[in-house]
Amino acid sequence: MIDFKKELENFKPCLNVEQTEEAIYSSDLKDFTDIVRETAKEMMKNQQERD
């Protein structure tokens, strides 16, 4: 049988995973909600300029 505790003790994450995690958490990523808000704001601004 596999000794999961022993396997977890020996586990070391891949360096690429750690680098990717840092890049994701350190950057200011926009999510879908941010994009929708910005688009709506621009549309309202354009509509007001036309009026």
Side-chain angles (χ1 to χ4, degrees), residues 4-49:
F4 287 104
K5 289 182 182 180
K6 183 179 178 184
E7 292 297 324
L8 286 173
E9 288 173 1
N10 295 330
F11 176 76
K12 293 181 184 174
C14 174
L15 184 58
N16 293 337
V17 172
E18 290 178 358
Q19 291 173 338
T20 303
E21 186 178 59
E22 279 183 32
I24 291 170
Y25 288 127
S26 67
S27 66
D28 185 23
L29 297 175
K30 293 181 181 181
D31 65 2
F32 183 73
T33 306
D34 295 332
I35 295 170
V36 170
R37 284 182 185 154
E38 287 181 15
T39 304
K41 190 183 294 185
E42 288 177 18
M43 290 175 63
M44 291 176 69
K45 181 180 176 184
N46 291 338
Q47 183 66 28
Q48 288 176 350
E49 289 175 356

